[in-house]
Amino acid sequence: MTDAATPLLLTPYALRGVTLRNRIVVSPMSQYRSDPGGIPGDWHLVHLGKFALGGAGLVFCEETSVSERSRKTYDCPGIYTDEQARAWRRITDFLRANGSASAMQIGHAGRKVATRAPWDGFSPLTEEDAAKGRPPWSGLAPSPIPFKPGAMIPKEMDADDIRHVIQLHADAARRADDAGFDILEIHAAHGYIIQQFLSPITNHRTDSYGGDRQGRMRFGLELVEAVRAAWPAEKPLLIRLSCVDGRGGGWHMDDTIALCHELKPRGIDLIDCSSGGIEGPLTLAVVPRTPGYHVPFAAEILRETGLPTMAVGLITDPHQAESYLQDGSCHLIALAREMMWNPNWPTHAAQALGQNPLPLLPPSYAWWLERRDEVRRRFPTGQETAAE
């Protein structure tokens, strides 16, 4: 261990009544591996548990549906039954026992439902799928616009639908608390139902939930209020936003800043910054995927609103991650696919930043690795040892 000052990446971070052991976050990663009935199983325990063993401060489960109808696929997990909540509890208990806080991301896919997995192109389910026991179903949306050719036309939500979907999120928040999650995040990005209301590409309503920006924000703000009321006051509430639709889209950074000003007094504790996800005109293009491509969004939100932010997007190098914290661009660093590649990234980051990585590991791991290091110090590679 060196005498260097502890890097910010490895310092604790507090939100309300929850303190993370460091600022490394495992971002939500959809797996499409739930057991029948949307129940998280052994796959989720092992997939998520290894990130706690690797030293992450906060581990998100994947986006989790608030109702059966709101799932993207038949294999997406849910948090809309007590059985699902009990299954999640096994996982949150394991994460907590191994030093990581747990976070649930609740979502409603709106019109982006009844699809195959992404490696099958998120293609809409067809009669061929129905013959195999997986019939398609119609989604809900602010306007009756299918998300891609061949998809079913979603039902335009009426006042009862709006109230029902908001209630589903509040109910999911209560179940997430029962399941032992420390932090809750509302998924308002990637073309999900809240973003469908926010973007003029997908919201063509003429009532009080459409029209100008304030009208298009109304559904999301009412939903946040309901979730905050249902979620314990001492636990943090986050929201993931697509800060922009993408080039050629209808939702821009000034819109996100205005939304964040409205979210702050409603009890949102941190903005999880992402982008894109709205299926729209051919002129719509994704944000260029360069290393740290969401960091400028996080920095601008923090600067303009004072809300803490989390950045994600091709962050792979420990010094890169530390630089974003040092320059004040964000408060938390989230990694997804890099964690799939290297679930021990936090310990390797500690070593790369001149710190002892072993305290981040379970004691049984640390003890054995310390013994290995002692042998290496005594017998450097290439040094011959006398046979006994």
Side-chain angles (χ1 to χ4, degrees):
M1 185 173 181
T2 71
D3 294 328
T6 303
L8 284 176
L9 188 67
L10 302 174
T11 59
Y13 185 72
L15 281 169
R16 294 196 184 230
V18 176
T19 299
L20 310 179
R21 59 176 164 180
N22 57 52
R23 301 188 186 212
I24 303 169
V25 178
V26 180
S27 194
M29 294 179 275
S30 292
Q31 297 294 294
Y32 308 97
R33 293 293 300 266
S34 68
D35 291 346
I39 296 171
D42 290 346
W43 176 271
H44 295 83
L45 177 65
V46 176
H47 165 66
L48 298 170
K50 67 177 181 282
F51 301 129
L53 299 181
L58 176 63
V59 178
F60 268 92
C61 68
E62 64 192 273
E63 178 275 320
T64 304
S65 300
V66 298
S67 70
E68 187 176 29
R69 187 178 185 179
S70 66
R71 297 172 299 163
K72 298 190 296 293
T73 77
Y74 276 95
D75 300 310
C76 293
I79 189 69
Y80 49 88
T81 71
D82 293 342
E83 185 179 8
Q84 292 164 346
R86 287 191 294 271
W88 282 117
R89 167 68 78 166
R90 179 173 71 131
I91 296 166
T92 60
D93 285 347
F94 184 88
L95 296 176
R96 185 176 298 105
N98 288 281
S100 293
S102 59
M104 161 66 71
Q105 185 191 67
I106 54 174
H108 188 301
R111 66 182 190 150
K112 298 179 73 172
V113 299
T115 73
R116 300 187 181 99
W119 38 88
D120 293 319
F122 274 137
S123 56
L125 297 177
T126 65
E127 291 306 313
E128 181 181 346
D129 297 288
K132 299 176 182 177
R134 293 193 164 196
W137 68 94
S138 62
L140 297 171
S143 300
I145 306 168
F147 77 96
K148 63 170 53 179
M152 296 180 72
I153 297 175
K155 179 180 185 275
E156 181 172 351
M157 294 167 66
D158 58 24
D160 287 340
D161 293 322
I162 288 172
R163 284 192 292 270
H164 180 61
V165 170
I166 290 173
Q167 186 61 50
L168 288 172
H169 283 77
D171 293 343
R174 294 186 185 94
R175 283 199 174 92
D177 182 41
D178 290 342
F181 284 95
D182 302 299
I183 291 175
L184 184 68
E185 178 173 273
I186 299 168
H187 198 343
H190 303 171
Y192 274 60
I193 201 163
I194 296 175
Q195 191 188 3
Q196 290 167 29
F197 271 89
L198 293 174
S199 176
I201 290 176
T202 45
N203 186 343
H204 296 178
R205 302 175 73 97
T206 57
D207 64 2
S208 59
Y209 289 94
D212 63 10
R213 181 171 67 194
Q214 197 63 37
R216 288 182 279 113
M217 291 195 305
R218 180 182 173 187
F219 171 76
L221 295 176
E222 290 181 357
L223 189 152
V224 166
E225 290 171 356
V227 170
R228 182 70 270 183
W231 183 242
E234 70 276 11
K235 291 187 175 184
L237 179 61
L238 283 53
I239 191 167
R240 170 166 276 192
L241 298 178
S242 279
C243 298
V244 296
D245 284 341
R247 191 180 68 239
W251 182 266
H252 306 286
M253 198 59 200
D254 60 331
D255 300 308
T256 290
I257 296 298
L259 176 61
C260 289
H261 279 299
E262 297 275 6
L263 291 170
K264 188 175 183 179
R266 288 171 169 85
I268 289 294
D269 298 296
L270 182 142
I271 305 297
D272 180 0
C273 300
S274 191
S275 65
I278 283 287
E279 300 275 349
L282 294 178
T283 55
L284 184 64
V286 298
V287 174
R289 269 39 176 173
T290 57
Y293 57 97
H294 291 134
V295 174
F297 300 147
E300 185 171 351
I301 290 170
L302 175 57
R303 182 175 64 251
E304 296 295 329
T305 71
L307 272 168
T309 58
M310 177 164 66
V312 65
L314 287 182
I315 300 173
T316 59
D317 180 80
H319 295 91
Q320 173 197 13
E322 177 69 9
S323 71
Y324 299 144
L325 298 172
Q326 289 288 349
D327 67 19
S329 293
C330 57
H331 293 76
L332 297 175
I333 298 293
L335 300 91
R337 278 168 275 198
E338 184 66 15
M339 286 290 191
M340 286 185 182
W341 179 247
N342 179 10
N344 292 327
W345 191 91
T347 57
H348 296 165
Q351 188 170 55
L353 295 172
Q355 305 297 301
N356 180 5
L358 298 185
L360 289 175
L361 293 170
S364 54
Y365 281 24
W367 189 88
W368 286 109
L369 290 171
E370 178 60 27
R371 304 290 81 71
R372 183 191 68 169
D373 290 345
E374 286 179 2
V375 171
R376 283 180 167 174
R377 287 191 292 270
R378 292 176 60 193
F379 305 106
T381 301
Q383 176 178 315
E384 295 185 3
T385 58
E388 293 185 2

